[in-house]
Amino acid sequence: MTRERIILGVDPGTIVMGYGVLTVEDRKPRLTTMGVLQLDRYEDHYLRLRRIYERMISLIEEYLPNELAIEAPFFGKNVQSMLKLGRAQGAAIAAALNRDIPIFEYAPLKIKLAITGNGQASKEQVAGMLQHILHIPDQNMLPQLDATDGLAAAFCHFMQTGRPVASGKSYDGWKDFVAKNPGKVRGS
């Protein structure tokens, strides 16, 4: 019997929040949707948090995820930015808690490592690898890399918990992927 699993991935932010929904059937992941929530039109930080919470509730109601994978805030030089990012993450987590969805938090380094084999990979490298792994057509790729960052959190969670089925090709990191797929990676 086939058991479907839906993972909602979130890249929290106070200006742009990225999200991706991954559906896993027979241990094979596929993209359901990805997108961004633009928050820069809201001047008040608390209105942004409210909008994050409301959008998360609507995503949960629309896609009925079994799990939430969210990127953890990383410690930067600007403490105020980190606090705001933590609040955005908290609003997203509160929405999941409100709907009894288990939450899994991943450090940015761990997410990049799971996708590309390189914890220092760029957002473009993560997006390119996800596009290849999930067979996402060019026209479905969004210009905002926050969307693929949200999807990356979901895919990282899948990799940590899902024991994926091999697709035939294997890579020893990003450089090996680029070498074996010339022309498929933007900016290469």
Side-chain angles (χ1 to χ4, degrees), residues 10 23 49-50 82 85 95 121 139 188:
V10 174
T23 300
L49 296 176
R50 176 179 165 182
M82 193 173 114
L85 189 59
Q139 64 269 22
S188 63

Side-chain angles (χ1 to χ4, degrees), residues 10 31 34 40 43 45 86 97 114 121 124 163 171:
V10 174
L31 171 68
M34 67 177 157
D40 52 353
E43 301 235 354
H45 180 69
L97 289 171
E124 291 82 6
R163 305 293 304 163
Y171 305 100

Side-chain angles (χ1 to χ4, degrees), residues 27-29 158 163-170:
R27 298 181 306 165
K28 294 177 189 161
F158 163 71
R163 305 293 304 163
V165 174
S167 65
K169 279 189 179 179
S170 64

Side-chain angles (χ1 to χ4, degrees), residues 42-130:
Y42 303 100
E43 301 235 354
D44 186 300
H45 180 69
Y46 299 108
L47 287 178
R48 291 178 183 182
L49 296 176
R50 176 179 165 182
R51 185 67 188 117
I52 290 168
Y53 180 83
E54 291 170 346
R55 182 64 178 129
M56 285 295 298
I57 291 291
S58 71
L59 287 169
I60 290 166
E61 289 174 353
E62 183 174 355
Y63 296 104
L64 305 172
N66 305 95
E67 300 149 302
L68 172 73
I70 191 162
E71 185 174 305
F74 60 93
F75 182 74
K77 292 178 183 170
N78 187 332
V79 175
Q80 285 300 317
S81 294
M82 193 173 114
L83 285 171
K84 286 181 180 179
L85 189 59
R87 289 176 180 165
Q89 183 195 38
I93 288 172
L97 289 171
N98 185 282
R99 297 297 194 260
D100 295 320
I101 297 171
I103 299 152
F104 301 87
E105 190 175 12
Y106 296 97
L109 184 125
K110 184 163 192 146
I111 293 171
K112 291 175 181 182
L113 196 59
I115 308 299
T116 68
N118 175 6
Q120 302 303 314
S122 68
K123 288 177 172 279
E124 291 82 6
Q125 290 170 324
V126 170
M129 190 63 102
L130 284 170

Side-chain angles (χ1 to χ4, degrees), residues 129-162:
M129 190 63 102
L130 284 170
Q131 183 178 14
H132 175 75
I133 293 168
L134 297 171
H135 309 290
I136 304 170
D138 286 341
Q139 64 269 22
N140 292 6
M141 294 298 288
L142 300 176
Q144 304 96 336
L145 295 174
D146 305 271
T148 45
D149 283 353
L151 182 61
F155 193 81
C156 174
H157 181 63
F158 163 71
M159 294 293 290
Q160 297 298 309
T161 61

Side-chain angles (χ1 to χ4, degrees), residues 22-41:
L22 200 63
T23 300
V24 181
E25 260 182 302
D26 292 327
R27 298 181 306 165
K28 294 177 189 161
R30 69 176 160 75
L31 171 68
T32 301
T33 192
M34 67 177 157
V36 295
L37 174 59
Q38 289 289 150
L39 298 158
D40 52 353
R41 67 180 170 184

